[in-house]
Amino acid sequence: MQKEDLVECHKRITPFVHNTPIHTSRLLDRIVDASLFFKCENFQRMGAYKMRGATNAILQLTNEQRKKGVVTHSSGNFAQALSLAAKSLGVKAYIVMPSSAPQVKKDAVKEYSGTIIECEPTLEARKAMADRIQTETGATFIHPSNDLNVIAGQGTACMELLQEHPDLDIVVVPVGGGGLIAGTALAAHYFGENCKVIGGEPFEVDDAYRSLLSGKIESNESTNTIADGLKTQLGDKNFPLIQKYVDRIIRVNEEEIIEAMRLLWERMKIIIEPSSAVAFAAVLREKDIFKNKKVGIIISGGNVDLKNLPF
Amino acid sequence: MQKEDLVECHKRITPFVHNTPIHTSRLLDRIVDASLFFKCENFQRMGAYKMRGATNAILQLTNEQRKKGVVTHSSGNFAQALSLAAKSLGVKAYIVMPSSAPQVKKDAVKEYSGTIIECEPTLEARKAMADRIQTETGATFIHPSNDLNVIAGQGTACMELLQEHPDLDIVVVPVGGGGLIAGTALAAHYFGENCKVIGGEPFEVDDAYRSLLSGKIESNESTNTIADGLKTQLGDKNFPLIQKYVDRIIRVNEEEIIEAMRLLWERMKIIIEPSSAVAFAAVLREKDIFKNKKVGIIISGGNVDLKNLPF
């Protein structure tokens, strides 16, 4: 992907997404001994950066394709993002979700007018059902993270961060399926001035950390983390970008994630989901790397169940 | 107080406080059928608008007065605000607090280097102790809400709101001790274009509502509300301003406060305290008044105990 592709992507999605605010905190700066710039994608439409990639992917379809709709399998933020992006653009969205998904997540998709198709709670069943929807309806499949249009869209958050603060030394993001970190890495490469990209990942689902070590895409045997947006693994589209442009991945434990989340809630007065706290937890864990640096941190989303908080 | 006094006040405090962001939400606009502009004082330094008034009050002291310090009695946000404002300006702050105040509030004052003096948990004991501190130290007493310098400072939040949106039809604020609503009313009068000011107040502590009816300052026999910042009563400095410039006060019940708070947390992803939710609860209760209007809402603060949420 070229610099021009990202510039075009940003122009394309700008009418449909928010240029989210960048918050700072003297107290958190003091704790880390660095200048921190939090790009608040929790204030993005539907509450997460995924709105960017979903919007770009739909806008890249032909009129013929748009008429037939889009389909994805996700039980998280991408399901809501694709539903809302599709609704905004007058396109039908089919969302394949495991029957075991929490009612609150099903309700969120319905609120944005997504059509839910339930399946058995296995990865195979999800893929099979998504294939069937494609065959039956002609809808275009859009992967939540392993799709170059999605990756470019996610990269626009970092583009906007660098537009306001071009001299960032490092940008830190959470790592799940790899779409955000791959897009961020491209944006930092093309628009930063020697800006490094570092990922934060829970020890409990450290597939990306292990993938960078082994040189092939690794998966997680168990996914026992509070950061429920980060349980997925990398794909063949984003992994090469991550290998090429990401400096390193810092792993954090569950207590560190909860403590970082609590600090951001208490001190910045913003509601962020546990997956978002992983990037800041990485900064807190390895303060020496960030000391005296200008550091961008992408707060990926704010969709939490208020009845089920870890504090 | 003249327009010029507010302009000078804003200039005076600007180096020491944040010009807080104004957030909007399409979804909340749809719910109310109005255009809402939330002035986010929960992102103010120490987490509440009270930082403005405390800073202005200290900046108005002579050098001689500053050397002797300031004193107030408060167990809430004003205690923290005066402590932090004093610290920023190199002034000593004595905070009289009832011995029964929660440890978390004492800790917050200590964090901002305020000197806590405990007293019996009665209003008389608080006043007596504050008098004693003044006599012993020569410190200047600064009232949390019934002080014209404090009132002017609190009004600067509305000034900033009107600088960005000069054509607001209405500004809504919570009513506690009367400092915020009096300052807001002055700012709307001098800087708005026929901008009304409406207060939100819990039924459980509706002293301001009753004061406007009776024409004299009323007090509350009980203070059984979740909006713990609104339990205090009006004073002789702010009441005349409220009588002159405030359009009306809308009372809300406890369920409405909690529901408004939940909506703002879930939809806007911002952490606000229950007292802040009272203004939005008033808008939700009396939607007809606000229909098709441009409405400013001052989110007064975000200091909550995350271990003790009403959801």
Side-chain angles (χ1 to χ4, degrees):
Chain A
M1 203 178 311
Q2 301 304 308
K3 186 172 183 176
E4 192 57 27
D5 297 322
L6 283 174
V7 172
E8 287 301 318
C9 167
H10 190 240
K11 272 192 213 156
R12 191 180 300 126
I13 69 171
T14 288
F16 305 100
V17 302
H18 296 321
N19 185 333
T20 51
I22 296 163
H23 282 213
T24 58
S25 161
R26 301 184 199 197
L27 186 123
L28 298 184
D29 280 0
R30 262 203 313 274
I31 289 175
V32 179
D33 202 6
S35 298
L36 307 178
F37 300 88
F38 295 89
K39 175 72 171 167
C40 292
E41 289 293 298
N42 54 328
F43 298 142
Q44 188 50 267
R45 291 186 69 197
M46 62 62 58
Y49 73 92
K50 302 234 173 190
M51 192 63 196
R52 297 174 179 269
T55 301
N56 190 46
I58 297 177
L59 286 170
Q60 291 288 62
L61 299 179
T62 64
N63 283 338
E64 203 54 41
Q65 286 173 313
R66 289 196 201 185
K67 276 183 200 149
K68 292 180 176 163
V70 289
V71 55
T72 197
H73 50 71
S74 162
S75 56
N77 281 330
F78 195 74
Q80 296 177 49
L82 195 69
S83 300
L84 180 57
K87 186 185 174 194
S88 297
L89 298 166
V91 171
K92 193 163 170 60
Y94 302 94
I95 310 295
V96 177
M97 282 180 112
S99 49
S100 57
Q103 191 60 40
V104 58
K105 300 213 169 188
K106 293 179 189 172
D107 290 345
V109 166
K110 281 181 198 157
E111 190 190 319
Y112 295 128
S113 306
T115 301
I116 296 174
I117 298 103
E118 295 195 3
C119 67
E120 296 297 306
T122 67
L123 190 57
E124 292 70 36
R126 280 161 66 157
K127 286 183 178 163
M129 183 60 86
D131 283 346
R132 201 173 121 192
I133 304 289
Q134 284 182 80
T135 310
E136 287 179 4
T137 65
T140 304
F141 179 73
I142 298 180
H143 192 281
S145 54
N146 197 39
D147 175 308
L148 288 176
N149 291 320
V150 171
I151 291 167
Q154 318 305 33
T156 58
C158 179
M159 277 177 71
E160 291 173 1
L161 188 52
L162 287 166
Q163 275 166 358
E164 289 203 37
H165 301 283
D167 57 344
L168 291 180
D169 298 301
I170 307 171
V171 173
V172 193
V173 295
V175 187
L180 177 62
I181 194 168
T184 301
L186 281 171
H189 172 67
Y190 287 128
F191 302 99
E193 300 163 2
N194 203 19
C195 174
K196 281 184 190 170
V197 172
I198 291 179
E201 192 175 40
F203 274 104
E204 293 286 341
V205 290
D206 66 348
D207 55 292
Y209 178 85
R210 288 181 285 108
S211 298
L212 282 182
L213 278 185
S214 72
K216 62 187 176 59
I217 296 172
E218 305 284 348
S219 54
N220 301 301
E221 296 211 345
S222 66
T223 59
N224 189 26
T225 177
I226 189 178
D228 56 356
L230 308 184
K231 293 178 177 182
T232 46
Q233 65 181 55
L234 305 180
D236 61 346
K237 304 276 200 304
N238 56 49
F239 184 47
L241 296 170
I242 295 168
Q243 284 183 300
K244 192 164 175 186
Y245 295 121
V246 171
D247 190 67
R248 76 173 78 185
I249 289 175
I250 296 169
R251 294 175 298 172
V252 293
N253 64 41
E254 298 299 298
E255 291 69 32
E256 289 169 326
I257 298 170
I258 294 169
E259 174 59 16
M261 180 171 165
R262 195 185 58 73
L263 256 179
L264 292 173
W265 281 51
E266 283 192 352
R267 296 304 175 163
M268 300 198 71
K269 314 296 182 192
I270 59 176
I271 291 179
I272 67 160
E273 55 195 60
S275 303
S276 290
V278 170
F280 184 52
V283 173
L284 289 174
R285 184 182 174 97
E286 300 277 2
K287 288 201 192 89
D288 282 353
I289 296 175
F290 303 96
K291 191 172 169 146
N292 295 326
K293 297 279 199 297
K294 286 190 74 170
V295 182
I297 296 174
I298 297 184
I299 297 293
S300 50
N303 292 329
V304 285
D305 182 356
L306 293 179
K307 289 193 182 63
N308 189 16
L309 298 176
F311 311 121
Chain B
M1 205 178 309
Q2 302 303 309
K3 187 172 182 174
E4 193 56 29
D5 297 322
L6 283 174
V7 172
E8 288 301 318
C9 167
H10 190 240
K11 271 192 215 156
R12 191 180 301 125
I13 69 171
T14 287
F16 305 101
V17 302
H18 296 320
N19 185 333
T20 52
I22 296 162
H23 282 213
T24 59
S25 161
R26 300 183 198 198
L27 186 123
L28 298 184
D29 280 1
R30 260 202 317 273
I31 289 175
V32 179
D33 202 6
S35 297
L36 308 177
F37 300 87
F38 295 89
K39 176 72 170 167
C40 291
E41 289 292 300
N42 54 328
F43 298 142
Q44 187 52 265
R45 291 185 70 197
M46 64 61 58
Y49 74 92
K50 301 235 174 188
M51 191 63 197
R52 297 173 180 269
T55 301
N56 190 46
I58 296 177
L59 285 170
Q60 292 288 64
L61 299 179
T62 63
N63 282 339
E64 203 53 43
Q65 286 174 314
R66 289 194 203 187
K67 275 183 202 150
K68 291 181 177 164
V70 290
V71 56
T72 196
H73 50 70
S74 162
S75 57
N77 282 329
F78 194 75
Q80 296 177 49
L82 195 70
S83 300
L84 180 57
K87 186 186 173 192
S88 297
L89 298 167
V91 172
K92 192 163 171 63
Y94 303 93
I95 311 295
V96 177
M97 283 180 111
S99 50
S100 58
Q103 191 59 40
V104 59
K105 300 212 169 188
K106 294 180 189 169
D107 289 345
V109 167
K110 281 181 199 158
E111 189 189 319
Y112 296 128
S113 306
T115 300
I116 297 174
I117 297 104
E118 295 195 4
C119 67
E120 294 298 303
T122 68
L123 191 56
E124 291 69 38
R126 281 161 67 158
K127 285 183 179 164
M129 182 61 86
D131 283 345
R132 200 175 121 190
I133 303 289
Q134 285 180 79
T135 311
E136 287 180 4
T137 65
T140 303
F141 178 72
I142 298 181
H143 191 281
S145 54
N146 197 39
D147 174 307
L148 287 175
N149 292 320
V150 171
I151 291 168
Q154 319 305 33
T156 57
C158 180
M159 277 177 71
E160 290 172 3
L161 187 53
L162 286 165
Q163 276 167 356
E164 289 203 37
H165 302 282
D167 58 344
L168 290 180
D169 299 301
I170 308 170
V171 173
V172 193
V173 296
V175 187
L180 177 62
I181 195 167
T184 302
L186 281 171
H189 173 66
Y190 287 127
F191 302 99
E193 301 163 0
N194 203 18
C195 174
K196 281 183 191 169
V197 171
I198 292 179
E201 191 174 41
F203 274 104
E204 294 286 342
V205 290
D206 66 347
D207 55 292
Y209 177 86
R210 288 182 286 107
S211 300
L212 281 182
L213 279 184
S214 71
K216 61 185 178 58
I217 296 172
E218 304 284 349
S219 54
N220 301 300
E221 296 211 343
S222 66
T223 59
N224 188 25
T225 177
I226 188 177
D228 56 356
L230 308 183
K231 293 178 176 179
T232 46
Q233 65 181 55
L234 305 180
D236 62 344
K237 304 276 201 306
N238 57 48
F239 184 47
L241 297 169
I242 295 168
Q243 284 182 300
K244 191 165 177 188
Y245 295 120
V246 171
D247 190 68
R248 76 174 79 185
I249 288 175
I250 296 170
R251 293 174 301 170
V252 293
N253 64 40
E254 298 298 297
E255 291 69 34
E256 290 169 326
I257 297 170
I258 293 170
E259 174 59 16
M261 181 171 164
R262 195 186 56 73
L263 256 178
L264 292 173
W265 281 52
E266 283 193 353
R267 297 304 176 162
M268 300 198 69
K269 315 296 181 192
I270 58 176
I271 291 179
I272 67 160
E273 56 195 58
S275 303
S276 290
V278 169
F280 185 52
V283 173
L284 289 173
R285 184 182 174 97
E286 301 276 3
K287 288 202 192 87
D288 283 354
I289 296 174
F290 303 95
K291 190 171 170 148
N292 294 326
K293 297 280 199 296
K294 287 190 76 171
V295 183
I297 296 174
I298 297 186
I299 297 292
S300 49
N303 291 330
V304 286
D305 182 356
L306 293 179
K307 288 192 182 64
N308 190 17
L309 298 176
F311 312 120

